[in-house]
Amino acid sequence: MSRRAIQGGGPERAISITLISIFVVTDTIYHALTDNSFSTHQVDIFHASNDLLAGVLLILIALYANRIYPMWIASFQLLATLAHVARELADQISPIAYVIMVSVPSYFQIGILAGGVFLHARRRRRFGRYRDWRPGVGTHGWIHVLSTIGHKT
C-alpha cells in the first residue's frame, strides 16, 4: 500500500486541516493569549464562532467531496453548533449537558474520519486511483488548493 493512500485523498486532507486549524491551532492561541476557559454558564462566543466556521467549511467540503462520510462529519459539527443555540435559548440547560453537547460530536468526527481514511486506502488498493471531488469542482478555487496540499510534484 502506498504511503499516499494512507495519508488520504483531498477530502480527507481538507477535513483534517479544517479540524486541526480551527479546533487545535486557533483554540490554543486563544487560550494562550487570554485567560478565558470554556464558559458553561453562558454561550461561549469564541467557541460558538469556531464551531460555526468549522460547520460552514465542513458542509462545503461534504458537498463537493466524492465521498459520503464527510456529510456525517458535517452533521456532527452542526449538532455541536446548535448546542450553542440551545444554550442561549434555554437557560435551564445544565452546564454538564452543554459541555457534552458541544464536545462529544468531535469524538464521533475523529472516528468517522479515521474510518474514511481506512476506506480510502482500501479503495485505492482495490481499484486504483479515483476522483477525490465531484466532477467539475476539483480543478479550480479553494477545492484545488485543499486537494493539492501534501502533493509532491
Side-chain angles (χ1 to χ4, degrees), residues 3-130:
R3 184 170 186 241
R4 181 90 178 109
I6 294 171
Q7 291 174 348
E12 289 80 14
R13 286 192 308 275
I15 291 169
S16 299
I17 289 167
T18 300
L19 294 176
I20 290 170
S21 64
I22 292 177
F23 296 121
V24 177
V25 175
T26 60
D27 198 57
T28 302
I29 292 170
Y30 172 73
H31 290 294
L33 295 176
T34 66
D35 201 21
N36 296 343
S37 60
F38 183 76
S39 173
T40 59
H41 299 293
Q42 60 189 9
V43 173
D44 190 316
I45 298 299
F46 174 78
H47 291 101
S49 301
N50 270 1
D51 281 335
L52 180 62
L53 176 61
V56 168
L57 292 174
L58 291 171
I59 288 170
L60 287 172
I61 292 167
L63 289 175
Y64 291 112
N66 189 30
R67 319 268 198 276
I68 297 297
Y69 80 89
M71 293 283 189
W72 285 95
I73 292 174
S75 299
F76 277 106
Q77 187 57 45
L78 184 61
L79 288 174
T81 304
L82 290 175
H84 299 289
V85 174
R87 179 69 182 129
E88 181 63 27
L89 294 177
D91 290 335
Q92 63 271 23
I93 289 180
S94 122
I96 294 172
Y98 180 45
V99 169
I100 290 171
M101 290 188 311
V102 169
S103 61
V104 167
S106 65
Y107 293 104
F108 287 102
Q109 289 173 317
I110 293 168
I112 292 168
L113 180 60
V117 170
F118 171 77
L119 292 174
H120 168 72
R122 191 174 76 177
R123 272 190 305 272
R124 285 281 304 263
R125 191 173 54 246
R126 283 185 180 173
F127 306 113
R129 292 183 49 93
Y130 64 99

